[in-house]
Amino acid sequence: MITWQAGSVVKKQQWHDDLYTITIKTDPLPFKAGQFANIGIESVDGLVYRPYSLVNTPTNDLLEVHFNTVSSGRFSPLLAQLDVDSPISVANRAGGLLTLDQVPEERNELWFCATGTGIGPFISILRGDEVWQRFNKIIVCYATKTASEMAYYDELNNLKMQYPEQFRFAPFITREAVKDTLNTRFTTHLESRELEPFVDTAIDVNSSHFMLCGSSAMINDMTEILEQRGLRRHSRQEPGHIAIEKYF
Ligand SMILES: Cc1cc2nc3c(=O)[nH]c(=O)nc-3n(C[C@H](O)[C@H](O)[C@H](O)COP(=O)(O)OP(=O)(O)OC[C@H]3O[C@@H](n4cnc5c(N)ncnc54)[C@H](O)[C@@H]3O)c2cc1C
């Protein structure tokens, strides 16, 4: 059974028509960077809730949630209507396998592949110290339809300057041609063998680990391509190379 704690919205940022980040104050929630928690809103039909990845680091008590609204959806339009001081509930347990303790010891290169709001858990990991201490290379492939939907772009771009040897960022904008970004899907770029030279990192079954987050379409396509390259799905029982989180 889910136990809920009461919280309130302390900040709301709108990136695009239907794209937001809200910050929530609640009792401290123990979680690992990359995990999600259920967020609930009281409606006329009772409490409605959905899982959302946490973008803040576990050491920051203010919870950050990055989301888009689905116009036909039950919960996300309610979430988008909240404003500063609105009440909101947060489940007191977090979950999910997109965490660094799930990456086998011998891996040196960590790939984060996100579509849309799927960038959230990776931002949480990138804001911590462990990832920079542990991996030789960290590669972010991040796809959105338009440039204005590419939330956290400046934060990711700044990491390129902070970690010029260790960090590679491949921004993909699929419906606009934008300077310094790639105008294709990253699955297409990977299949055509252009992605690895672009990020200056070869995929290797011994040293690469992938975390995929966002749409099922991207995750299914990426998994298929990576399996053809000899990588395997990761689970707690059978450690592999590809950890996934499907949002829809
Ligand atoms: C583990 C987990 C973590 C998640 N984390 C996030 C997150 O950090 N940010 C976030 O925005 N969403 C996240 N989601 C999706 C989120 O939980 C909701 O499903 C989403 O916000 C839609 O809820 P809804 O009630 O408005 O729509 P629903 O009534 O639940 O769904 C309506 C329809 O919209 C589709 N749909 C669901 N999500 C999307 C989407 N993002 N874009 C387009 N279509 C969609 C569903 O497949 C369904 O067909 C996560 C989902 C899971 C399983």
Side-chain angles (χ1 to χ4, degrees):
M1 209 180 93
I2 302 178
T3 306
W4 294 98
Q5 46 196 38
S8 62
V9 175
V10 293
K11 191 175 161 200
K12 181 178 184 184
Q13 177 179 5
Q14 184 164 13
W15 302 89
H16 185 68
D17 297 345
D18 63 350
L19 190 65
Y20 303 86
T21 294
I22 57 166
T23 308
I24 301 166
K25 188 171 167 37
T26 181
D27 287 341
L29 171 71
F31 73 98
K32 295 173 194 158
Q35 289 193 310
F36 61 86
N38 278 303
I39 306 290
I41 299 174
E42 208 54 66
S43 76
V44 281
D45 307 319
L47 190 75
V48 192
Y49 60 90
R50 295 283 185 272
Y52 289 91
S53 298
L54 299 167
V55 184
N56 56 302
T57 57
T59 51
N60 181 349
D61 285 344
L62 292 177
L63 304 179
E64 193 175 327
V65 169
H66 176 51
F67 68 98
N68 64 304
T69 49
V70 177
S71 54
S72 61
R74 178 136 184 256
F75 184 81
S76 56
L78 296 176
L79 193 57
Q81 277 168 21
L82 299 185
D83 231 317
V84 170
D85 291 335
S86 296
I88 189 164
S89 298
V90 180
N92 72 343
R93 277 182 45 193
L97 290 181
L98 296 185
T99 55
L100 294 181
D101 59 359
Q102 288 292 320
V103 183
E105 270 308 309
E106 62 277 15
R107 304 290 156 70
N108 296 322
E109 297 114 29
L110 185 59
W111 294 71
F112 295 131
C113 301
T115 50
T117 53
I119 196 67
F122 304 144
I123 296 289
S124 175
I125 295 172
L126 290 163
R127 285 176 176 173
D129 295 330
E130 186 186 347
V131 74
W132 304 105
Q133 289 158 0
R134 195 170 149 193
F135 297 93
N136 295 341
K137 269 289 179 59
I138 299 143
I139 304 109
V140 171
C141 302
Y142 175 22
T144 59
K145 292 183 189 123
T146 63
S148 53
E149 288 165 285
M150 189 155 277
Y152 301 97
Y153 177 82
D154 290 344
E155 188 168 341
L156 290 162
N157 228 15
N158 287 340
L159 291 175
K160 285 203 309 196
M161 282 173 267
Q162 214 179 330
Y163 302 99
E165 297 302 319
Q166 217 178 345
F167 185 64
R168 295 288 179 272
F169 178 33
F172 290 81
I173 295 181
T174 52
R175 295 198 190 161
E176 287 174 356
V178 179
K179 190 172 170 283
D180 296 330
T181 69
L182 297 152
N183 183 219
T184 177
R185 290 165 186 262
F186 49 74
T187 42
T188 312
H189 220 53
L190 175 58
E191 267 190 310
S192 64
R193 300 274 175 151
E194 290 169 281
L195 181 60
E196 290 158 271
F198 184 81
V199 295
D200 185 26
T201 313
I203 295 171
D204 182 316
V205 282
N206 297 311
S207 57
S208 304
H209 193 84
F210 278 77
M211 293 191 187
L212 315 179
C213 187
S215 72
S216 307
M218 177 279 283
I219 291 173
N220 294 344
D221 290 352
M222 277 297 283
T223 304
E224 198 182 319
I225 300 168
L226 293 172
E227 283 177 349
Q228 284 164 9
R229 301 280 300 267
L231 282 71
R232 292 187 318 276
R233 275 282 301 276
H234 174 85
S235 70
R236 263 189 236 280
Q237 298 73 25
E238 273 191 64
H241 311 82
I242 313 166
I244 66 166
E245 190 125 281
K246 287 185 184 178
Y247 281 1
F248 62 99

